[in-house]
Amino acid sequence: MNRTFKSVCTALLAASGLFLVSPASKAQTIQDVAVFSGPDRTDRLAAGARKEGTFTIYTSLQIEDLKILTDAFEKKFGVKVNVWRGSAEDVRQRVIVEYRAGRYEVDLFELGGREMESLHREQLLQPIKSPVIADLTPQAVISHGDWMGTRLNIIAGVYNTNLIKKADVPKTYQDLIDTKYKGKLGIEAEDEDWLATIATEMGEEKGVKLFRDIVGSNGISIRKGHTLLVNLVASGEVPIALTVYNYKAQQLKAGGAPIEFLGLQPAVARVNGVGVARKAPHPHAATLFFDFLLGPEGQKIMFDREFTPTNRKVSELPADMRVVFSNASQMLDEKDKWSKIYKEIFASRAR
């Protein structure tokens, strides 16, 4: 075919609208990118992410913790991360409203398991076939695949070492009925999944009665927010807190705060997760960050921040702590039941 004839054919095809776009030039959706595989997966994702230049994450993670992760990602891949932070429930409501209005601005979520499970049920997430999933602890591998566990928020009890003598530290939940703890107990305002998990472990009726008896004997101070509660223990306003996040207490303890763990067994673990939005506008960058967050680099950053990561190549569960897992799907179904019980036990008798 001579050049003149080829040029004429090309012009005719273009004029008739039949000129085909090559597959390489076609914009790829998250559904295309989600199934990338092979040894060049990261290179392909990184190349696409650099072309996209940016992506947006909605999260409930504390900004100071997230910033260390996003700074490392931006430095490595040259891709800017935009962040919108709110409570997990605020994030959930925001994206539902956006999708119903046809606004597809978010690429990726990092939230508590219950909220991630809600987004799954709303069909707002895209399963990602990532090789790093094989390295996760079994409880972090979610069967339907729409999201995966990034870290464990272990809910544990702590006390102020200046206010509670070592000899007076309770060894079991049953010990908390003792009236020497009157006016010394605190709890977070919305930890109904913690109560459900502990009570179910003990036997629901027995467990619920135990916490009614504890509050009946000693009262309890209710505070909104785990970070606030653990800081109140550090300051001495709340001598003993039953439900704080393990990582935040570890951070404060490492900084010299007079905090120690109660060691009450079992502790309850919430699986926090990451998921990619079903209509992510920056699919390569979102998938690349998904891999980064679950892979050794992101998980090591979380480990260094006192989080409990889910990648077994980075860290296993604490050997000295018996941990039971809150079931995100079950708690989504039973939230009203346990919220009612929680408020009846704690809020109605709070001091």
Side-chain angles (χ1 to χ4, degrees), residues 30-37 41 44 126-129:
I30 185 57
Q31 289 75 26
D32 300 321
V33 176
V35 295
F36 277 6
S37 61
R41 171 187 169 90
R44 292 171 68 193
Q126 170 63 45
I128 303 296
K129 297 186 180 299

Side-chain angles (χ1 to χ4, degrees), residues 129-172:
K129 297 186 180 299
S130 172
V132 299
I133 292 172
D135 298 329
L136 304 183
T137 191
Q139 293 88 349
V141 179
I142 310 306
S143 59
H144 53 65
D146 268 7
W147 60 277
M148 293 291 152
T150 53
R151 56 192 171 95
L152 304 179
N153 265 340
I154 297 178
I155 303 175
V158 294
Y159 67 97
N160 184 296
T161 56
N162 293 332
L163 299 175
I164 304 296
K165 297 177 182 178
K166 196 167 184 178
D168 291 333
V169 175
K171 295 179 175 59
T172 68

Side-chain angles (χ1 to χ4, degrees), residues 54-58 80-84 105-108 282:
T54 187
F55 79 98
T56 297
I57 179 171
Y58 289 179
K80 179 176 173 53
V81 186
N82 299 309
V83 177
W84 189 85
E105 299 175 3
V106 61
D107 294 286
L108 183 131
H282 307 99

Side-chain angles (χ1 to χ4, degrees), residues 192 204 330 333-342:
E192 63 271 2
E204 183 176 321
Q330 179 185 358
D333 293 332
E334 298 182 4
K335 184 178 189 303
D336 290 345
K337 168 189 169 179
W338 285 102
S339 291
K340 182 179 179 182
I341 294 172
Y342 196 83

Side-chain angles (χ1 to χ4, degrees), residues 196-217:
T197 306
I198 293 287
T200 300
E201 186 78 3
M202 294 179 176
E204 183 176 321
E205 185 176 342
K206 179 182 176 182
V208 169
K209 181 180 184 303
L210 171 63
F211 286 102
R212 283 199 180 105
D213 291 344
I214 291 169
V215 178
S217 293

